[in-house]
Amino acid sequence: MHSISNHVADVQTRVAHAAERSGRTRDSVRLVGASKAQSVDVIRAAAACGITEFGENYLNDALPKIEALRDLSLQWHFIGAVQSNKTRDIARYFQWVQTLDRAKVAQRLSDQRPDDSDALDVLIQINIDGEPQKAGIAPEALAEFAAQLLHLPRIRLRGLMAIPRPESGADAQRVAFRRMRELFERERPAAATHWDTLSMGMTQDFETAIAEGATMIRIGTALFGPRGARRDG
Ligand SMILES: *Cc1c(COP(=O)(O)O)cnc(C)c1O
């Protein structure tokens, strides 16, 4: 557990420096711990070091963790593929869904969001590199898709999320992030009152993402160490 606190401190320092280099404040970047494959104890240790938001990819893995950590007031982000038969529990147990790319799923999440919770915060996932195997909508489809979400009463459209193709070196990484940033600024829907979140950047590229305007980064390996059995989605 000691190494978690070192990792958290290291990531926090790197985030602060990346923000500072771009003339931004540390507060302008939200850090979400990508905690897939991490145990309740590991998440609790990270929370003790000040991480308050966690992202999970698989509902069945996430629910027992959310339940076991209810004594902490953590925010949970769904960052995996949303299957339409899982929307009820996602709408109930998560505060954010970052991977919206189907209107039917959005409709179900809105319909199923419990009345005693705030509206569900959502991001539209963009397939920014046009990779056939990857989730997300095409950039050209954004305006029309966003328009379909804005009338749904129980979800609140906050912005965009992307997982660009991994590249090494800041110059190569920058390209997709910059296109995301331009899309985020250009396609702000007139009716979106909370359009404030651009989620991009992971362990390999979060400093470049911050330099290009990310307001939210999702970090797994740099916080928790390498995942054992990898089953990323
Ligand atoms: C696993 C995961 C991350 C974090 O990945 P790392 O490279 O370990 O930081 C971020 N976003 C999503 C959607 C993920 O599945």
Side-chain angles (χ1 to χ4, degrees):
M1 293 303 159
H2 183 62
S3 75
I4 293 267
S5 63
N6 293 342
H7 284 153
V8 172
D10 177 57
V11 169
Q12 293 287 20
T13 304
R14 289 170 60 193
V15 172
H17 284 160
E20 193 182 321
R21 280 195 299 273
S22 309
R24 304 178 56 193
T25 62
R26 170 64 190 84
D27 293 353
S28 67
V29 184
R30 279 168 86 156
L31 171 59
V32 175
S35 50
K36 57 175 175 269
Q38 305 304 334
S39 68
V40 166
D41 288 346
V42 166
I43 297 172
R44 195 174 280 283
C49 301
I51 307 290
T52 57
E53 304 190 66
F54 293 91
E56 288 280 335
N57 298 61
Y58 306 100
L59 181 69
N60 294 349
D61 292 349
L63 289 183
K65 300 187 205 178
I66 295 173
E67 180 63 29
L69 292 161
R70 264 176 46 188
D71 57 307
L72 307 174
S73 35
L74 303 176
Q75 292 219 39
W76 294 94
H77 296 243
F78 197 81
I79 61 173
V82 181
Q83 295 168 267
S84 23
N85 63 344
K86 302 273 172 76
T87 51
R88 185 173 300 280
D89 279 340
I90 292 173
R92 176 171 299 270
Y93 292 103
F94 286 78
Q95 285 74 47
W96 287 75
V97 172
Q98 298 204 9
T99 46
L100 263 195
D101 61 1
R102 284 190 294 153
K104 176 183 161 198
V105 163
Q107 176 78 55
R108 292 174 66 94
L109 290 170
S110 179
D111 291 348
Q112 295 170 341
R113 180 68 169 171
D115 291 336
D116 57 358
S117 303
D118 291 340
L120 182 67
D121 287 310
V122 301
L123 302 177
I124 295 172
Q125 183 172 358
I126 303 290
N127 187 350
I128 192 63
D129 291 311
E131 295 170 277
Q133 80 287 5
K134 232 174 230 177
I137 64 167
E140 304 73 46
L142 174 58
E144 192 187 332
F145 184 62
Q148 292 179 282
L149 307 190
L150 284 165
H151 71 275
L152 297 173
R154 302 291 293 144
I155 64 177
R156 189 160 49 207
L157 180 58
R158 299 288 297 262
L160 305 178
M161 176 271 207
I163 311 173
R165 187 192 298 122
E167 300 280 6
S168 45
D171 289 341
Q173 292 168 352
R174 204 177 295 285
V175 178
F177 291 143
R178 191 164 290 173
R179 280 190 281 128
M180 281 299 297
R181 203 271 187 66
E182 287 165 4
L183 192 65
F184 177 68
E185 289 176 351
R186 190 179 65 229
E187 297 287 335
R188 175 194 194 99
T193 50
H194 294 81
W195 187 259
D196 61 2
T197 305
L198 182 55
S199 173
M200 58 186 193
M202 322 200 323
T203 292
Q204 291 306 327
D205 54 17
F206 70 86
E207 283 147 314
T208 314
I210 291 170
E212 295 301 329
T215 70
M216 185 181 276
I217 56 176
R218 310 173 310 269
I219 308 296
T221 311
L223 288 175
F224 303 115
R227 291 179 284 279
R230 259 191 108 102
R231 41 179 283 217
D232 297 4

